Amino acid sequence: MHEMAIAEGVLDIALDYAQKNNAQRISEIGLLIGEMSGVVVESLEFSFNMIAKGTIAENAKIVVKRTPLIGRCTKCGKEFHVEHYDFWCPECKDGVLSILSGREMQVEYLEVD
């Protein structure tokens, strides 16, 4: 389950930030996660809650903002939402595109006290 490894990374980032800013508690962690990242949010939240026990991040709320998988056709330039991993351009039917968004996996913000 790669969600556990992601949760560990998120916790490390949050605890490091909190320590550098003399925070006593981490109340909320905002994550930016792309559609193509393959992250199962419920598994990530479960994993995070397990490993955060006994830390200043215990009971922190995880807020996930999903970014859509957006591609740009390299032939005609059309930008479109890639659904169901159908990477064919709806305009010219070419199958070569650049991914503009949807692979993100980052901590967007932290709320600390």
Side-chain angles (χ1 to χ4, degrees), residues 60-107:
K61 180 179 176 185
I62 303 292
V63 177
V64 175
K65 181 165 81 174
R66 287 285 205 174
T67 56
L69 178 53
I70 303 293
R72 178 184 301 129
C73 178
T74 57
K75 185 176 180 182
C76 73
K78 176 161 180 69
E79 291 183 13
F80 59 97
H81 181 214
V82 177
E83 298 183 66
H84 309 292
Y85 294 98
D86 179 5
F87 291 96
W88 296 100
C89 176
E91 190 73 26
C92 71
K93 309 301 183 214
D94 194 61
V96 181
L97 57 93
S98 299
I99 302 296
L100 301 179
S101 71
R103 294 185 288 189
E104 299 82 0
M105 234 183 341
Q106 65 187 53
V107 175

